[in-house]
Amino acid sequence: MVYAEAEGEVLGAAAKEFAGVEEMVRAGEGLFRPYEWGRFDLLVLPPSFPYGGMENPLMVFLTPTVIRGDGSGAQVVAHELAHSWTGNLITNKTNEDFWLNEGFTMYAERRIIEVVQGEERAALNVGIGWKGLNADVERFKDNMEFTKLKNKQEVVDPDDIYSHIPYEKGFQFLWRIERQIGRAKFDEFLKKYIATFKFQSIDTEMFIEFLKENVPGIEKDIDLEQWLGRMPTEDDVAYWSGQEWELYLENLPKTAEASQVLLVFLID
């Protein structure tokens, strides 16, 4: 059901814009697992609401600015609906694991969109997201820590590093796994993941352990450490130039413990 706290005419426009939401719920249940929350209502707030949408169990909050008259605003609803499985049902343990909420939700959103609105619309969504991801990687080029899926935020205001990266790099990571093992197997994995961790808060390490257990060899097939962001090995740095070392050291987390850094001095 659609509710509106904005102007009266908004309610009718919202009902028309979001007419396909019931089909989205059915698509989500078919892809992931039965919807656990009973109802799925939409509340359209005044334009001053500062987000496109905000997921909540039972009721999603929306801004009326997503109502475009052509049904495309329903993609925002698809995202918030996807949180019913990835975000509300399984939640990231810390903000450093934020990608577990948003990367999974971007993947789930696009799978729902593909079912309801077609492959072309879903592919367009992916393309727009890719552009945003590249823009934010460029934005953080002087601090690559914040381009990692899991990054260190001990002395960082999360608002200062909010970006597309946990959303879009998280999506790309999951999409890469799907392409490696095939969609049918990845769908089975996803349903098992949701069934295993529902109503829990988890971190990246728990997910990776579960992934390795259920997809043997995946860490070699797609180089998990590279995706997540790892310290370079001796083989990686064997032929680094002075400038490469300088760039690497400048971008180490400012809160690194001495025990985390091994300095090797080469004396001629």
Side-chain angles (χ1 to χ4, degrees):
M1 183 172 291
V2 179
Y3 301 90
E5 288 190 8
E7 293 79 2
E9 66 271 13
V10 170
L11 181 58
K16 182 178 179 181
E17 186 81 11
F18 308 133
V21 168
E22 288 188 20
E23 186 180 359
M24 288 182 175
V25 174
R26 290 194 296 270
E29 288 190 309
L31 288 166
F32 311 121
R33 282 182 55 82
Y35 181 78
E36 297 269 3
W37 305 101
R39 294 179 63 91
F40 182 72
D41 293 331
L42 308 177
L43 176 61
V44 181
L45 293 162
S48 57
F49 181 63
Y51 304 102
M54 180 55 64
E55 72 275 12
N56 302 286
L58 305 178
M59 179 175 283
V60 165
F61 295 169
L62 297 164
T63 174
T65 59
V66 303
I67 301 171
R68 298 162 186 161
D70 61 358
S72 61
Q75 292 190 35
V76 177
V77 177
H79 183 89
E80 309 311 334
L81 168 63
H83 272 304
S84 300
W85 292 275
T86 54
N88 294 338
L89 200 60
I90 304 174
T91 301
N92 55 294
K93 186 175 287 188
T94 75
N95 204 61
E96 293 179 355
D97 304 292
F98 186 54
W99 79 271
L100 286 171
N101 266 28
E102 297 299 349
F104 268 93
T105 297
M106 292 306 302
Y107 178 86
E109 169 198 337
R110 286 161 179 163
R111 291 293 304 276
I112 292 170
I113 290 296
E114 183 178 312
V115 171
V116 176
Q117 298 184 349
E119 292 184 8
E120 185 174 336
R121 183 66 65 90
L124 180 62
N125 190 311
V126 172
I128 293 170
W130 177 253
K131 182 178 180 182
L133 173 60
N134 279 277
D136 278 330
V137 169
E138 175 66 18
R139 170 187 163 198
F140 292 122
K141 65 182 180 181
D142 294 327
N143 196 332
M144 298 301 288
E145 176 68 18
F146 302 130
T147 68
K148 296 178 181 178
L149 281 181
K150 179 161 184 169
N151 50 63
K152 300 296 183 182
Q153 298 184 23
E154 185 177 349
V155 293
V156 176
D157 183 339
D159 286 340
D160 291 341
I161 61 168
Y162 181 80
S163 74
H164 291 88
I165 288 168
Y167 294 77
E168 297 297 343
K169 187 174 182 180
F171 163 78
Q172 292 289 337
F173 176 47
L174 298 172
W175 195 26
R176 176 67 182 89
I177 298 171
E178 180 207 288
R179 295 197 306 274
Q180 180 66 37
I181 68 176
R183 174 166 284 190
K185 288 185 178 179
F186 189 69
D187 284 354
E188 291 177 9
F189 167 81
L190 205 54
K191 288 179 179 178
K192 185 175 181 180
Y193 164 72
I194 293 170
T196 300
F197 294 110
K198 68 178 184 177
F199 299 115
Q200 297 182 51
S201 297
I202 70 170
D203 57 25
T204 300
E205 289 71 25
M206 292 171 68
F207 168 73
I208 294 300
E209 182 179 354
F210 181 81
L211 176 64
K212 289 179 178 179
E213 288 176 355
N214 288 275
V215 188
I218 191 66
E219 65 270 26
K220 296 178 181 178
D221 292 336
I222 68 169
D223 197 349
L224 287 180
E225 291 183 338
Q226 282 284 71
W227 272 100
L228 295 169
R230 62 174 170 83
M231 299 292 282
T233 66
E234 291 185 18
D235 289 339
D236 291 334
V237 305
Y239 300 102
W240 277 12
S241 68
Q243 287 180 314
E244 287 172 309
W245 274 109
E246 180 181 358
L247 180 63
Y248 170 71
L249 292 171
E250 286 180 352
N251 284 283
L252 284 174
K254 299 299 185 287
T255 59
E257 298 289 338
S259 60
Q260 294 177 278
V261 181
L262 175 64
L263 296 179
V264 179
F265 294 93
L266 300 178
I267 302 175
D268 293 333

